[in-house]
Amino acid sequence: MSRRRSWAIALSALFIAGIILFRDAFSDRGNAEMRVSGETVAALPEKPEIGYPAPGFSLTALDGGAYSLETSKGRPIVLNFWASWCGPCRDEAPLFAKLHEQYGEWLSIVAVNLTAVDSEQEARRFAREYGFKFPVPLDSDGAVAAKYRIRPIPTTIFIDSRGIITGGVLGALDWDLLHGRVLRLLEPSAPLATPPADRNRNARQ
């Protein structure tokens, strides 16, 4: 049995446990914003939970450069964890390419490859196949996945422009869910407002 297949089986076995852990960490809490509003973001501890700053990390990306969350400071972030052998990751991959094309000017998409259970070669092939034009950091030792308590994949975490986690989704996203979450990041006070790309297009007409 190949190393990747063994890891795939192990991750599948952890799926149910992962759902429980992820639900506890990323369940929507009505007063999450209130927790932030009463104190500065810098005073809060980093935690992979809604209402707390996203844990920082620094990884080498597929292009050979260093990537950290500080790179996207001041912009909302869609943080995705994936592997090339993951079927649901393939299902949602085109959506991230589409998202980058439409909102890349206002939004950072970061696709962390779980290289500890994958390979850089397969990650590179995957990114090329699906047209990833955004950072693809390589989590070679699994430290970042552990920091974010990643169990089943894909897992997607939404981070606002202050670096605060606003939500998370287990499993493959469909376009409506992904797009809706992104609009809330871009337009937090008016989630149903005209998307920035459309608004600017209308202004030019």
Side-chain angles (χ1 to χ4, degrees), residues 52-126:
Y52 287 93
F57 62 83
S58 180
L59 294 173
T60 300
L62 275 180
D63 63 5
Y67 180 84
S68 70
L69 289 186
E70 287 294 311
T71 305
S72 300
K73 190 173 182 179
R75 289 157 60 95
I77 300 171
V78 176
L79 180 61
N80 179 254
F81 290 86
W82 64 280
S84 65
W85 44 260
C86 162
C89 299
R90 290 187 171 275
D91 293 339
E92 70 178 9
L95 304 183
F96 290 111
K98 178 180 178 181
L99 192 70
H100 177 73
E101 181 179 350
Q102 293 191 10
Y103 296 100
E105 184 177 348
W106 301 276
L107 177 79
S108 292
I109 301 171
V110 182
V112 176
N113 175 256
L114 302 184
T115 322
V117 294
D118 201 353
S119 74
E120 181 176 343
Q121 180 180 0
E122 292 301 320
R124 191 175 300 280
R125 182 179 293 117
F126 185 104

Side-chain angles (χ1 to χ4, degrees), residues 122-167:
E122 292 301 320
R124 191 175 300 280
R125 182 179 293 117
F126 185 104
R128 185 169 54 247
E129 177 182 352
Y130 291 102
F132 285 5
K133 297 179 181 178
F134 40 80
V136 181
L138 304 173
D139 189 13
S140 300
D141 60 4
V144 176
K147 183 179 287 190
Y148 276 84
R149 305 175 191 169
I150 301 302
R151 297 298 188 277
I153 56 172
T155 289
T156 304
I157 298 167
F158 299 90
I159 304 168
D160 71 15
S161 59
R162 300 169 302 163
I164 301 296
I165 293 174
T166 64

